[in-house]
Amino acid sequence: MTEVTLHHAHQTRSMRSLWLLHELGVPFKTVVHAFGKNLRSEDYLKLNPSGRVPALEIGGQTLFETGAITQYLCEMFPEAGMGREAGHPERADWLVWVHFAETITQHCAALTQQHVALYEDHMRSPIVMKLEAARIGKCYGALERRLDGREYLLDSGFSAADVSCGYSVYSAQHFTKLEGFPMVASWYARIRERPAFLASLPPVDDRLYPREFFEVPT
Ligand SMILES: N[C@@H](CCC(=O)N[C@@H](CS)C(=O)NCC(=O)O)C(=O)O
């Protein structure tokens, strides 16, 4: 059996890989890291040279970048139907939405830095906060158009594309609400009930986001 170990920090992008591993139903180990300078240790840099989560150890290989991890896991474990293999009619759409997830999350990363990492008010920029939160709204707009008339991002049903963007929306809602995006809201309500999503949630006492929502200061 292939040995799989995910290096994870709660509520970060590695939650995307954790959720997917649960969907795949394969045995795996999770190593939970604190979100901080420890990710720059010499040992951890051997797993992810940029000192970030996730990193995935699988069958003697080490991967980083959630998009690559998603593609690789879906190829290694095709039985769960989370991927769309090369030549599949939905391959192009699957790739687009798996990777669009990072277009959303780049804004969450900027906002996490503004609201959480920069702890003194004078370090923060309300202009950047407002701009980045609005850009999340534009990303919701792209999802809204895609989900109009669809239950999931692909016509054939739930896939890793929903997991990838689903994590992004989970994280983005800390900064931009889903009001005005009814298709995204009902899709998200559907996928957040999945046992694999629930299993990827953080414990109450170990969270990156100390609040459910961060307002832009006026
Ligand atoms: N594009 C990368 C981004 C990875 C990334 O930036 N992860 C963040 C957590 S969401 C991280 O570990 N940041 C640590 C840091 O910047 O110090 C991916 O999708 O895996």
Side-chain angles (χ1 to χ4, degrees):
M1 188 181 301
T2 312
E3 286 214 5
V4 182
T5 303
L6 176 69
H7 294 266
H8 171 58
H10 294 302
Q11 292 187 298
T12 69
R13 286 169 172 99
S14 57
M15 194 176 145
R16 189 178 280 150
S17 310
L18 182 60
W19 179 359
L20 179 59
L21 280 163
H22 283 296
E23 293 285 357
L24 294 171
V26 295
F28 65 96
K29 286 188 215 148
T30 310
V31 180
V32 177
H33 297 264
F35 186 74
K37 288 197 179 120
N38 54 303
L39 296 176
R40 311 277 192 272
S41 72
E42 279 308 314
D43 277 349
Y44 188 76
L45 289 173
K46 287 179 194 145
L47 301 170
N48 184 329
S50 67
R52 292 166 188 237
V53 279
L56 184 81
E57 296 180 86
I58 177 163
Q61 307 241 44
T62 305
L63 284 81
F64 52 95
E65 287 297 326
T66 52
I69 290 171
T70 297
Q71 287 192 236
Y72 195 78
L73 283 174
C74 290
E75 286 164 15
M76 288 289 286
F77 305 106
E79 305 80 16
M82 290 293 111
R84 299 293 182 272
E85 72 285 358
H88 190 286
E90 289 182 316
R91 173 70 171 179
D93 286 337
W94 184 81
L95 285 170
V96 165
W97 294 106
V98 162
H99 292 284
F100 181 69
E102 274 298 281
T103 296
I104 310 171
T105 303
Q106 63 174 316
H107 304 303
C108 300
L111 285 163
T112 303
Q113 190 169 60
Q114 287 287 320
H115 287 277
V116 182
L118 300 176
Y119 46 89
E120 302 253 4
D121 276 348
H122 73 270
M123 299 170 167
R124 300 174 165 149
S125 162
I127 294 170
V128 170
M129 290 175 178
K130 208 171 154 187
L131 199 71
E132 292 291 322
R135 280 158 74 77
I136 289 177
K138 299 286 178 208
C139 294
Y140 288 168
L143 289 172
E144 184 75 7
R145 279 186 286 282
R146 178 67 187 173
L147 289 164
D148 193 3
R150 287 186 178 88
E151 278 201 20
Y152 299 108
L153 288 167
L154 301 184
D155 290 329
S156 59
F158 185 82
S159 75
D162 299 289
V163 173
S164 298
C165 289
Y167 163 73
S168 303
V169 169
Y170 163 81
S171 165
Q173 282 180 95
H174 290 92
F175 309 107
T176 306
K177 293 188 177 163
L178 285 179
E179 281 154 24
F181 301 98
M183 304 296 162
V184 184
S186 60
W187 162 81
Y188 183 69
R190 213 161 23 247
I191 62 175
R192 75 165 175 224
E193 299 299 323
R194 296 181 70 88
F197 171 75
L198 298 173
S200 70
L201 288 170
V204 275
D205 58 348
D206 190 2
R207 289 173 180 245
L208 170 63
Y209 298 116
R211 273 183 256 153
E212 288 297 314
F213 188 74
F214 294 87
E215 300 276 353
V216 176
T218 46

